[in-house]
Amino acid sequence: MKNFFLLLNFIFLPLIMMADNGLPVKPRILVFSKTAGFRHSSIPTGKAAILKLGKEHNFDVDTTENAAVFNEKTLKKYAAVVFLQTTGNILNDQQKASFEKYIKSGGGFAGIHAATDTEYEWPWYGKLVGAYFVSHPAQQVATLNVTDRSHRSTKHLPAIWERKDEWYNFKNIGDDLKVLITIDENSYKGGINGAVHPMAWYHEYDGGRAWYTELGHTEESYTDPNYLEHLLGGIQYAISGN
């Protein structure tokens, strides 16, 4: 028994000392990519890219498509939850309640591309992610306007950013969103949101933080340095303060 308590001290004392000294504890995030609708071929590439970002920028990454992890005990381990290309109805009522409690307790959320094509019948989630997907034209090159270059996810980007991706049209766009990037509908065919067509945004919501980027449909996105820095900044914002 004495040796058992010595072992516990050996394991936990360094962590206690780190907290007492104000040293940062390495954050851990959950990347969730369950799909109940369209499944993006870029999901494996996206997972690999976020795992690599974690190794390079000092945060741990768990990946799963098992919705059972959405319980209060498990979610407490994570500084942020990333919905990577999720689609459809992916959580049951108990799992939804646990995720709501997680955000209300100060948790962070980052949504990537099809995260807005998720849980249309869950109004709380719609407000968290900021909008719902309604349609998209064919993939094509378009001009993005980086309207806020002070945020950690956009400060590295040019004011005008041209790239090829799949461009979503949205409905139920939140009026509290802090828009980071808009798309110029005159630069491509198929936009329906008008002069202010948001593509990336963030906001504080119901006690937590949420960041979303529409960008990231293509596999090529996850080898694009500008996009990866954009994604990293969004994840870091979701982690911050938790």
Side-chain angles (χ1 to χ4, degrees), residues 118-137:
T118 301
E119 294 289 356
Y120 289 92
E121 299 172 5
W122 183 14
W124 180 90
Y125 176 79
K127 292 178 181 177
L128 173 73
V129 72
Y132 280 124
F133 162 80
V134 65
S135 64
H136 68 78

Side-chain angles (χ1 to χ4, degrees), residues 17 44 46 75 91 122 132 134 142 162 169 193 197 207 220 228:
M17 290 177 67
L75 289 175
L91 300 179
W122 183 14
Y132 280 124
V134 65
E162 290 190 354
N169 296 307
N193 285 124
H197 184 160
E220 291 79 7
L228 290 173

Side-chain angles (χ1 to χ4, degrees), residues 4-39:
F4 174 73
F5 283 111
L6 286 172
L7 178 61
L8 287 180
N9 285 333
F10 176 77
I11 294 171
F12 290 110
L13 186 58
L15 295 176
I16 294 169
M17 290 177 67
M18 285 176 69
D20 287 343
N21 290 326
L23 296 175
V25 177
K26 191 176 183 182
R28 179 177 293 273
I29 69 168
L30 176 67
V31 176
F32 185 54
S33 53
K34 181 178 178 179
T35 56
F38 181 82
R39 186 168 181 85

Side-chain angles (χ1 to χ4, degrees), residues 85-150:
Q85 309 289 29
T86 53
T87 57
N89 296 327
I90 51 178
L91 300 179
N92 64 30
D93 289 344
Q94 186 175 359
Q95 292 158 356
K96 290 176 184 178
S98 295
F99 189 46
E100 288 187 19
K101 186 170 183 179
Y102 167 78
I103 294 295
K104 290 175 181 178
S105 299
F109 169 83
I112 300 172
H113 194 58
T116 48
D117 189 22
T118 301
E119 294 289 356
Y120 289 92
E121 299 172 5
W122 183 14
W124 180 90
Y125 176 79
K127 292 178 181 177
L128 173 73
V129 72
Y132 280 124
F133 162 80
V134 65
S135 64
H136 68 78
Q139 294 177 40
Q140 56 195 292
V141 175
T143 299
L144 300 173
N145 297 309
V146 183
T147 57
D148 182 351
R149 298 173 71 198
S150 64

Side-chain angles (χ1 to χ4, degrees), residues 25-30 59-62 77-80 102 239:
V25 177
K26 191 176 183 182
R28 179 177 293 273
I29 69 168
L30 176 67
F59 58 89
D60 291 323
V61 180
D62 292 339
K77 299 191 303 182
Y78 298 108
Y102 167 78
I239 290 172

Side-chain angles (χ1 to χ4, degrees), residues 8-242:
L8 287 180
N9 285 333
F10 176 77
I11 294 171
F12 290 110
L13 186 58
L15 295 176
I16 294 169
M17 290 177 67
M18 285 176 69
D20 287 343
N21 290 326
L23 296 175
V25 177
K26 191 176 183 182
R28 179 177 293 273
I29 69 168
L30 176 67
V31 176
F32 185 54
S33 53
K34 181 178 178 179
T35 56
F38 181 82
R39 186 168 181 85
H40 283 74
S41 61
S42 59
I43 287 175
T45 314
K47 286 181 184 178
I50 297 172
L51 285 163
K52 187 171 185 288
L53 288 175
K55 289 180 180 178
E56 294 172 346
H57 298 277
N58 200 38
F59 58 89
D60 291 323
V61 180
D62 292 339
T63 67
T64 189
E65 299 194 5
N66 180 8
V69 301
F70 282 78
N71 62 77
E72 291 182 30
K73 181 179 179 181
T74 302
L75 289 175
K76 284 180 180 178
K77 299 191 303 182
Y78 298 108
V81 175
V82 178
F83 276 32
L84 171 64
Q85 309 289 29
T86 53
T87 57
N89 296 327
I90 51 178
L91 300 179
N92 64 30
D93 289 344
Q94 186 175 359
Q95 292 158 356
K96 290 176 184 178
S98 295
F99 189 46
E100 288 187 19
K101 186 170 183 179
Y102 167 78
I103 294 295
K104 290 175 181 178
S105 299
F109 169 83
I112 300 172
H113 194 58
T116 48
D117 189 22
T118 301
E119 294 289 356
Y120 289 92
E121 299 172 5
W122 183 14
W124 180 90
Y125 176 79
K127 292 178 181 177
L128 173 73
V129 72
Y132 280 124
F133 162 80
V134 65
S135 64
H136 68 78
Q139 294 177 40
Q140 56 195 292
V141 175
T143 299
L144 300 173
N145 297 309
V146 183
T147 57
D148 182 351
R149 298 173 71 198
S150 64
H151 193 265
R152 67 183 73 192
S153 66
T154 52
K155 63 183 180 181
H156 66 289
L157 293 173
I160 305 297
W161 187 18
E162 290 190 354
R163 72 189 310 272
K164 182 179 180 180
D165 214 319
E166 181 180 79
W167 307 116
Y168 279 5
N169 296 307
F170 295 108
K171 63 181 180 179
N172 300 344
I173 300 171
D175 57 11
D176 67 328
L177 305 180
K178 297 177 180 177
V179 176
L180 297 166
I181 301 173
T182 62
I183 191 166
D184 181 357
E185 290 194 354
N186 294 318
S187 68
Y188 74 109
K189 295 180 179 179
I192 65 170
N193 285 124
V196 181
H197 184 160
M199 285 283 114
W201 56 75
Y202 71 102
H203 64 151
E204 293 183 1
Y205 176 72
D206 207 11
R209 297 159 313 287
W211 176 90
Y212 170 78
T213 184
E214 187 280 341
L215 287 59
H217 172 88
T218 65
E219 286 90 343
E220 291 79 7
S221 294
Y222 300 94
T223 57
D224 174 2
N226 272 339
Y227 178 76
L228 290 173
E229 189 74 15
H230 173 59
L231 180 56
L232 173 64
I235 292 171
Q236 289 174 331
Y237 167 74
I239 290 172
S240 66
N242 190 1

